[in-house]
């Protein structure tokens, strides 16, 4: 987890957040031991913003990884920040048992599973 925190902290430095001023970094560990990172990427058209969590999932899937075991999110906030609803749904698509570790830059940590954060993910609508 400490290595993931370091990766997420580094990724956070690449956040493009000129509108909110709120930089987020994330690091995702695969079952094969690889780590993919992401940062939030904002847009003048605010709704097009991509959260750090989805950035790292999309990067991992693009590289061929689909089995994930842990996600660390790092924010500079008074409390650790949990993933938004959209990111929870995206994470649940690939990793219903994912460990989600949320940490602020002061070191306060909260840990959940994605199943706890999103008890009833959308599923089964295509069959
Ligand atoms: N943000 C994330 O990247 N992840 C979160 O878990 C919380 C929100 C981003 C979106 C936006 O760029 C900024 O933080 C403020 O909401």
């Amino acid at each position: 987890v400490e290595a993931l925190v370091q990766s997420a902290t580094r990724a956070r430095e690449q956040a493009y957040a000129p509108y909110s001023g709120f930089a987020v970094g994330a690091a995702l560990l695969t079952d094969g031991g690889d780590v993919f990172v992401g940062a939030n990427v904002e847009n003048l058209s605010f709704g097009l913003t991509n959260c750090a969590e989805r950035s790292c999932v999309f990067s991992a899937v693009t590289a061929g990884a689909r089995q994930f075991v842990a996600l660390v999110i790092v924010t500079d906030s008074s409390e650790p920040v949990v993933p938004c609803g959209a990111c929870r749904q995206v994470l649940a698509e690939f990793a219903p048992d994912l460990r989600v570790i949320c940490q602020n830059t002061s070191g306060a940590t909260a840990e959940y599973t994605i199943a706890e954060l999103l008890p009833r993910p959308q599923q089964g609508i295509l069959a």
Side-chain angles (χ1 to χ4, degrees):
V1 169
E2 191 44 46
L4 289 174
V5 169
Q6 280 184 22
S7 295
T9 300
R10 268 198 305 276
R12 183 175 168 274
E13 292 167 12
Q14 304 306 327
Y16 176 72
Y19 305 107
S20 73
F22 190 71
V24 184
L28 186 63
L29 176 68
T30 73
D31 64 346
D34 293 321
V35 175
F36 292 89
V37 296
N40 54 328
V41 180
E42 298 187 343
N43 191 269
L44 178 62
S45 177
F46 298 158
L48 301 182
T49 290
N50 214 59
C51 296
E53 294 90 328
R54 273 174 295 146
S55 293
C56 69
V57 171
F58 296 157
S59 174
V61 173
T62 301
R66 293 187 182 175
Q67 305 288 328
F68 308 125
V69 296
L71 172 75
V72 166
I73 303 155
V74 171
T75 51
D76 185 17
S77 48
S78 53
E79 300 293 328
V81 164
V82 290
C84 77
C87 288
R88 294 178 197 196
Q89 180 67 35
V90 169
L91 292 163
E93 175 94 11
F94 294 101
D97 300 320
L98 188 71
R99 289 175 66 189
V100 179
I101 298 138
C102 313
Q103 186 160 315
N104 69 11
T105 51
S106 308
T109 297
E111 179 170 345
Y112 310 91
T113 65
I114 198 68
E116 268 182 284
L117 293 174
L118 188 67
R120 289 185 184 276
Q122 185 67 261
Q123 57 188 10
I125 58 174
L126 296 183

